[in-house]
């Protein structure tokens, strides 16, 4: 008997704990499982322990059962772990042999998911045309010719088929009904997606519904194209959070209105008309299709989509985070100068003692000047460092080193150097003030001056894009020890600066929960990865790919506009259709059904046309 990949060890309503195979010590698997489980509707909190190999999940009991949770965890574990037989199959392909050694290792370790690395087109497959696509296209063509010649059959007009297809539409469009049916079928190990897809196709053929068959052909075609491009369909529909919330609210209102209408009229046809008119299915189907179709076109055009991300996520991006300041500033030989109205040699020696403790990137240049001055460089103690500056104790004397703001906070008199410091900063120089405390008096004794590091070409390009898209820019590490004042003056968010992996992971999860997507700019492929696997799961781009991101962003924003135009039209139809369904009496349900199918087909056709004609 095959061992379960995730075994349930403790369960109470709303809280389950699993012991997961291969999770102990595997931070990468933990990161991927956390990321994917958080996307499942109804899951509220996910906590993986790589020490014990256990997984704790809190969930909404109104949306999920314990059995649902067990199936979701099993499915996510399988999805994020490449089986050995699949790995062997990929190793035998010519496409795999052409990959770099690093990409081979990533694929073997499960870090490079097929269908998610959009920038890599080498892993393409040529699957056969799926049977449902052939049937829907052939049926559409045959029935079109048949209806032109002899019209529709009596079976196509059967009320029973109409009622059954209406129920199928309600199940697929109303979120809470969908969840209930899915839970019922899961208990009997019946795949709901296959059942619904087959049902739509069968009823479309029997009712000779050309509109439904045309829409179904478009949906099947885009799934087939995704498989051709090694971009396998997502487990969950690609629907933004705000649209999901609208679908949830509309589903409840539609059922309530239909129940009231049924209670007042006693005619189930009136209630069915309300349900079909208030059905949010057009926007649900069209949104998922629009983003899948857009990703297919993006790959065909060679647009650069962030690794571990999607076009839909890119359209919701709010922040660009650089892995290190070394990706933002050009390295250069530092030429530090000193300005002092007193003893310049003392300024050099005290500055050298301070910078030696802080690791500032001026350190070597200042140490050289101090040694040349002939002054003794004393050891600094009691170092207290902030983003604005540092205080130390040298031979019983307190020394202050930092920005104007830092000096004012510590009540250091900088009057003699303040105007000159501001003038130099306006000219593009970086300035550090140095002060000391003698008795009860704190006085600035000089300033150190150096040209500001110039920005890298890639950072300048991305900053222009961020300004156009109203994005924030942050940075995680500061290995170049760039003064935070310089970062702030260039609108770089310094709150991301941290050496605490746990804090960084919490910040990333918090932004994700708010719907604020983040793109991480990493070092070139082949250099070391960030120490946190959670950071490695964030949508990311190589620093050399920055120039290619612009086209993908523009294209994603255009498709986002299309999606929300469809949402606005659906809102109007749901209200107007529901109101008109009652006075239309017995004709309300058929008209609502035809209108909903027609709107869905218009949305699908429009999304396909715009995705193929939109330019970036």
């Amino acid at each position: 008997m095959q061992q379960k990949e995730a075994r349930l060890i403790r369960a109470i309503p709303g809280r389950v704990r699993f012991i997961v195979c291969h999770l102990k010590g595997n931070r990468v698997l933990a990161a991927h499982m956390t990321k994917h489980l958080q996307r499942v509707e109804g899951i509220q909190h996910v906590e993986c322990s790589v020490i014990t190999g256990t997984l704790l999940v809190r969930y909404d009991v109104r949306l999920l059962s314990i059995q649902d949770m067990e199936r979701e965890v099993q499915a996510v574990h399988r999805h994020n772990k490449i089986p050995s037989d699949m790995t062997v199959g990929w190793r035998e392909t010519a496409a795999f042999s052409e990959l770099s050694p690093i990409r081979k290792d990533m694929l073997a370790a499960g870090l490079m998911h097929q269908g998610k690395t959009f920038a890599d087109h080498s892993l393409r497959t040529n699957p056969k045309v799926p049977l449902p696509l052939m049937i829907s296209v052939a049926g559409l063509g045959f029935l079109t010719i048949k209806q032109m010649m002899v019209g529709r059959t009596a079976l196509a007009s059967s009320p029973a088929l109409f009622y059954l297809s209406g129920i199928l539409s309600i199940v697929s469009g109303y979120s809470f009904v969908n969840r209930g049916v899915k839970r019922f079928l899961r208990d009997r190990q019946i795949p709901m997606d296959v059942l619904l897809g087959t049902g739509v196709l069968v009823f479309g053929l029997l009712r000779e519904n050309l509109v439904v068959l045309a829409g179904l052909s478009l949906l099947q075609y885009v799934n087939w194209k995704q498989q051709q491009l090694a971009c396998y369909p997502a487990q969950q529909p690609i629907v933004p959070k705000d649209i999901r919330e609208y679908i949830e609210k509309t589903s409840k209102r539609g059922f309530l209105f239909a129940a009231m209408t049924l209670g007042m009229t006693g005619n189930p046809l009136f209630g069915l008309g309300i349900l079909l008119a208030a059905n949010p299915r057009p926007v649900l189907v069209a949104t998922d299709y629009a983003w899948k179709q857009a990703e297919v076109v993006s790959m065909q055009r060679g647009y650069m989509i962030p690794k571990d991300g999607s076009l839909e996520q890119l359209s919701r991006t709010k922040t660009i985070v650089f892995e290190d300041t070394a990706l933002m500033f050009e390295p250069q030989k530092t030429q530090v100068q000193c300005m002092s109205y007193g003893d310049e040699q003392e300024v050099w020696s005290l500055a050298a003692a301070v910078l030696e403790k802080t690791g500032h990137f001026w350190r070597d240049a200042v140490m050289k000047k101090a040694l040349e001055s002939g002054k003794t460089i004393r050891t600094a103690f009691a170092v207290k460092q902030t983003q604005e500056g540092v205080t130390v104790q040298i031979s019983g004397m307190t020394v202050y080193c930092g920005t104007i703001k830092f000096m004012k906070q510590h009540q250091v008199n900088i009057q003699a150097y303040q105007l000159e410091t501001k003038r130099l900063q306006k000219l593009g120089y970086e300035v550090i003030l140095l002060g000391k405390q003698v008795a009860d008096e704190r006085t600035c004794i000089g300033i150190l001056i150096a040209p500001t590091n110039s920005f890298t070409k890639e950072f300048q390009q991305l900053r222009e894009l961020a300004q156009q898209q109203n994005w924030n820019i942050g940075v995680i590490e500061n290995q170049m020890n760039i003064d935070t004042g310089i970062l702030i003056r260039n609108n770089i968010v310094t709150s991301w600066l941290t050496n605490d992996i746990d804090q960084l992971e919490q910040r990333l999860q918090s932004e994700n929960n708010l719907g604020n997507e983040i793109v991480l700019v990493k070092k070139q492929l082949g250099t070391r990865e960030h120490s946190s696997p959670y950071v490695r799961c964030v949508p990311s781009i190589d620093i050399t790919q920055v120039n290619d991101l612009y086209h993908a962003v523009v294209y994603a924003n255009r498709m986002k506009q299309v999606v929300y135009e469809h949402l606005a039209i659906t809102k109007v139809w749901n209200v107007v259709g529901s109101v008109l369904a009652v006075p239309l009496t017995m004709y309300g349900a058929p008209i609502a059904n035809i209108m909903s199918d027609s709107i869905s087909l218009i949305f699908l056709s429009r999304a396909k046309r715009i995705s193929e004609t939109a330019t970036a």
Side-chain angles (χ1 to χ4, degrees), residues 296-309:
V296 168
V297 174
S298 296
M299 293 188 67
Q300 291 173 337
R301 294 181 179 180
Y303 291 161
M304 202 289 298
I305 309 297
K307 178 180 177 291
D308 289 324

Side-chain angles (χ1 to χ4, degrees), residues 132-133 136 197 200-201 211-221 604:
L133 176 58
S136 61
V200 172
L201 179 58
V211 175
V212 170
L213 291 175
L216 190 60
S217 298
L218 288 174
L219 294 172
Q220 293 291 343
Y221 179 77
L604 297 179

Side-chain angles (χ1 to χ4, degrees), residues 54-88:
T54 58
L55 168 69
L56 173 66
V57 183
R58 296 190 182 94
Y59 62 94
D60 189 340
V61 294
R62 296 172 298 178
L63 303 180
L64 297 167
S65 65
I66 293 176
Q67 291 76 19
D68 293 334
M69 287 306 313
E70 190 169 10
R71 295 189 188 95
E72 290 289 352
V73 171
Q74 295 282 2
V76 170
H77 186 276
R78 287 193 297 270
H79 177 70
N80 289 282
K81 176 177 174 293
I82 297 180
S84 58
D85 55 344
M86 184 184 294
T87 305
V88 172

Side-chain angles (χ1 to χ4, degrees), residues 20-30 49-54 533:
V20 182
C21 184
H22 306 302
L23 180 61
K24 186 178 291 187
N26 192 339
R27 290 177 64 86
V28 173
L29 177 60
S49 173
V50 296
I51 299 176
T52 61
T54 58

Side-chain angles (χ1 to χ4, degrees), residues 198-412:
T198 304
V200 172
L201 179 58
V202 170
F203 284 121
L205 292 171
L206 293 178
R207 296 186 64 235
E208 300 183 17
N209 193 329
L210 303 183
V211 175
V212 170
L213 291 175
L216 190 60
S217 298
L218 288 174
L219 294 172
Q220 293 291 343
Y221 179 77
V222 75
N223 287 335
W224 176 51
K225 295 301 292 184
Q226 282 189 307
Q227 293 177 4
Q228 278 189 317
L229 296 172
C231 171
Y232 297 100
Q235 290 181 322
Q236 300 289 334
I238 307 175
V239 181
K241 182 179 179 181
D242 53 345
I243 296 182
R244 289 201 307 267
E245 290 175 350
Y246 169 75
I247 292 172
E248 189 74 27
K249 292 178 181 178
T250 303
S251 299
K252 295 176 181 178
R253 287 197 297 260
F255 251 86
L256 179 62
F257 190 22
M260 292 171 58
T261 303
L262 179 62
M264 290 186 295
T265 63
N267 190 335
L269 197 59
F270 286 13
L272 181 60
I274 298 292
L275 290 175
L276 293 174
N279 194 342
R281 186 173 181 270
V283 72
L284 172 64
V285 174
T287 300
D288 185 48
Y289 172 81
W291 285 120
K292 288 180 178 179
Q293 171 67 16
E295 288 179 355
V296 168
V297 174
S298 296
M299 293 188 67
Q300 291 173 337
R301 294 181 179 180
Y303 291 161
M304 202 289 298
I305 309 297
K307 178 180 177 291
D308 289 324
S310 67
L311 203 66
E312 189 271 333
Q313 288 178 307
L314 187 60
S315 73
R316 292 187 287 110
T317 296
K318 300 295 183 183
T319 305
I320 296 289
V321 179
F322 284 78
E323 200 172 35
D324 188 18
T325 50
L327 303 177
M328 309 166 78
F329 295 89
E330 293 282 2
Q332 63 183 39
K333 185 176 180 180
T334 307
Q335 297 178 349
V336 184
Q337 298 177 349
C338 175
M339 174 184 169
S340 175
Y341 299 125
D343 187 352
E344 189 174 308
Q345 294 179 346
E346 181 186 20
V347 175
W348 284 118
S349 64
L350 291 178
V354 174
L355 297 185
E356 185 180 16
K357 291 292 184 179
T358 62
H360 196 278
F361 71 102
W362 287 7
R363 180 183 60 186
D364 294 340
V366 173
M367 289 289 291
K368 182 179 178 181
K369 290 285 188 178
L371 293 172
E372 291 175 354
S373 70
K375 279 274 189 177
T376 302
I377 302 175
R378 296 181 174 87
T379 303
F381 298 96
V383 180
K384 297 180 181 179
Q385 188 171 1
T386 67
Q387 291 186 352
E388 299 292 337
V390 60
T391 61
V392 299
Q393 293 290 326
I394 301 177
S395 300
M397 174 178 59
T398 304
V399 177
Y400 304 88
C401 182
T403 63
I404 291 179
K405 180 180 178 181
F406 179 80
M407 292 297 184
K408 288 182 176 180
Q409 287 176 344
H410 290 80
Q411 300 178 347
V412 179

